[in-house]
Amino acid sequence: MKKLAAILVLISVFGHAVAQNLPNVEYKRFHFGFSLGLDVLDFGIKNSMVIAPDGKTYQAEVSRLQPGFNVGLIGDVRLCNYLNLRLCPTFYIADRTLTFMNDRDDMLYEADIRSTLITVPLLLKYSAVRIKNYGIYVLAGAGVLFDFSHEQEHPILLEYFDYFVEFGVGCTFYTKYFRLSPEIKFALGFNNIHMNWSRREEKINGGYLDPEWKPYNDALSKLTSRLFTFSLNFE
């Protein structure tokens, strides 16, 4: 018991000896920051299962995900104790690969789809009580997404606009000069971002579309966006 009491006394003394960095910084009304991170883009796929003119049924699946990077800005408003409102416009780059097949052939075609995105989410952040120089938090919200990668000569083309919900978790470390927060977020899009064949014909105003692309384009009934992000926030 004496050893246990001595250990508890040492822990208590050491805990009080640790200086609290940036005291009361979480009570600021407004603050700003930036983020750097890695991301993975994915698709939610609904195949149309229509029969093509050649009598085959085509379908697609995501066969490869390639990590990208992201950089963003952070604007934060303190609403009350432990609750903040955040606007976080972020720039993303990442690749996805769709593999197409039919009911007779295993693999016919691979379509590499690179996306260059800007997301603008509005998030509520709920923070736990700060313990010395760290604290955990959760956040959730919704936003809009703009896709600027549109390679016209490609069998699959995505819509420019999407909207999504986003949620995540993070941990803040208080240094002497700034707050560093590793953060994980997941976003789910709701809009059908697959541009179908008729819309593509209208969009290019009579321009050339390779007819060999049509079975692959028609194989997709719906594509939705999925986005996983790991970032380091500096505030």
Side-chain angles (χ1 to χ4, degrees), residues 40-43 62-68 95-97 226:
V40 176
L41 297 179
D42 195 5
F43 285 125
V62 178
S63 59
R64 186 166 60 250
L65 302 174
Q66 299 183 24
D95 293 342
R96 295 156 282 187
T97 300
R226 297 175 179 175

Side-chain angles (χ1 to χ4, degrees), residues 160-195:
Y160 291 94
F161 175 78
D162 194 10
Y163 53 94
F164 61 91
V165 293
E166 188 170 50
F167 46 90
V169 61
C171 182
T172 298
F173 297 92
Y174 296 80
T175 73
K176 291 183 179 181
Y177 306 105
F178 60 87
R179 286 175 282 187
L180 174 63
S181 304
E183 182 178 279
I184 295 174
K185 292 185 294 186
F186 185 67
L188 290 171
F190 288 103
N191 194 32
N192 181 7
I193 57 175
H194 172 237
M195 188 177 293

Side-chain angles (χ1 to χ4, degrees), residues 137-175:
Y137 62 89
V138 294
L139 66 170
V144 293
L145 177 154
F146 304 93
D147 190 339
F148 296 96
S149 296
H150 286 268
E151 183 182 352
Q152 298 293 334
E153 296 183 1
H154 196 282
I156 304 301
L157 200 61
L158 304 181
E159 295 284 357
Y160 291 94
F161 175 78
D162 194 10
Y163 53 94
F164 61 91
V165 293
E166 188 170 50
F167 46 90
V169 61
C171 182
T172 298
F173 297 92
Y174 296 80
T175 73

Side-chain angles (χ1 to χ4, degrees), residues 63-64 98-102 104-110 216:
S63 59
R64 186 166 60 250
L98 287 176
T99 296
F100 291 87
M101 62 206 77
N102 60 39
R104 302 177 195 176
D105 305 292
D106 289 336
M107 187 179 78
L108 296 172
Y109 184 79
E110 284 191 340
Y216 307 124

